[in-house]
Amino acid sequence: ALVWHNGKLLALWEGGAPHEVKLPSLDTVGRYTFGGKLKHACTAHPKVDAETGEMFFFGYQPVKPYVQYAVTDAKGVIIHTTPIDIPRPVMMHDFAISARHAVFMDLPMSFSFGAMFKGGGPFRFEPKLGARFGILPRKGKGNEIRWFEAEPCYVFHTFTAYDDDDEVVLLGCRSSDFPAQITPPNRMSDRELERSARPYRWRFNLKTGKVQEGPLDDIAADFPRINDSQMGRKVRYGYGMKLKMDALHKYDFSRGTRTSHAFGAGRLGGEPLFLPRPGARSEDDGWLACFVHDHREARSELL
């Protein structure tokens, strides 16, 4: 993924440091380590708080500490780093922030040296291990995290999180089974789509310790986005990609509705991005942009 922060465009992956990219030439500058202070991998999905200018990110690895969390100020200086203790190495692709908290996902996609040495992939989905969501103050130490148990699942991507009185609310796309997600989406069988990600809401009550969870839609979708200026705040709207990759969805969380834009026969799209209109007066005032490939004409366009 890509993030714009402190006047820099960073290209991201989860296996190491970001790479800085020049604009408008798109030339690669090289590895970006925040002045040499980055000592762990960096998620492909950091979160930037538009109000404070701070950026929040984490990295995971197969050796202890399995997860490390960091915060930079608006000038790109790392001001906080802390390890987060989990019982085993897992694939933690994304996380979320609210105005006061960071939300981590300890889900049962676990790393296995044994499976890798036998010629298999390094990760295996083990729902018997359960699923936990950790709530940490945004600049808290790792030992301050509170864990909440939830139904076993996997979550590749989140919309956002927000604080609601005693609760932290997480919006994301939940899958009941990891392997269903690694088939090319436009080739998924009906059975694979049935097990694939759907928009979902979790509510974690910091006072009672209880969790409420449930789906927001019944159509398989992922690659969720919001208006990034609202990151960490309660949003009315979210956007995503139907998992057949042939349509965009817009969700109205207040009304519980979905509207769709189909690309047309033989046309498949990518992850959307919300572009706010200059001087916008509302959350949804702007454009939704994505790349669409027309397989019949063998060309792509920015829609």
Side-chain angles (χ1 to χ4, degrees), residues 121-154:
F123 293 97
R124 6 177 231 195
F125 187 63
E126 301 179 278
K128 64 182 181 181
L129 297 176
R132 303 189 306 166
F133 292 78
I135 312 296
L136 178 70
R138 290 211 312 193
K139 295 177 184 173
K141 295 181 180 179
N143 59 10
E144 297 178 63
I145 198 166
R146 289 187 59 185
W147 292 104
F148 295 77
E149 293 188 2
E151 290 296 317
C153 64
Y154 194 76

Side-chain angles (χ1 to χ4, degrees), residues 34 62 108 120 126 144-145 177 185 187 194-195 230 252 255 276:
F34 301 90
E126 301 179 278
E144 297 178 63
I145 198 166
D177 185 11
R187 300 177 186 173
E194 181 63 31
R195 305 199 312 266
Q230 305 299 307
D252 185 328
R255 294 184 177 180

Side-chain angles (χ1 to χ4, degrees), residues 10 31 79 84 92 144 177 192 214 233 255 303:
L10 302 179
R31 292 176 72 253
I79 57 174
I84 295 174
M92 191 181 294
E144 297 178 63
D177 185 11
E192 286 175 316
R233 276 72 185 173
R255 294 184 177 180
L303 180 68

Side-chain angles (χ1 to χ4, degrees), residues 265-287:
R267 291 163 59 84
L268 300 177
E271 180 178 4
L273 180 67
F274 183 83
L275 309 176
R277 187 188 307 274
R281 296 186 178 182
S282 66
E283 177 188 331
D284 192 44
D285 186 5
W287 299 270

Side-chain angles (χ1 to χ4, degrees), residues 33-81:
T33 60
F34 301 90
K37 292 188 176 181
L38 180 66
K39 303 300 182 182
H40 56 79
C42 176
T43 176
H45 299 293
K47 312 301 177 187
V48 177
D49 186 320
E51 293 189 13
T52 68
E54 295 168 313
M55 184 166 71
F56 304 80
F57 60 93
F58 71 95
Y60 70 89
Q61 59 189 20
V63 296
K64 288 189 174 183
Y66 297 134
V67 180
Q68 297 188 75
Y69 167 61
V71 183
T72 76
D73 64 16
K75 296 181 179 179
V77 177
I78 293 179
I79 57 174
H80 179 69
T81 301

Side-chain angles (χ1 to χ4, degrees), residues 159-176:
F159 287 97
T160 189
Y162 60 91
D163 302 306
D164 186 14
D165 294 330
D166 293 327
E167 294 183 321
V168 176
V169 182
L170 173 66
L171 304 178
C173 290
R174 176 190 183 274
S175 175
S176 61

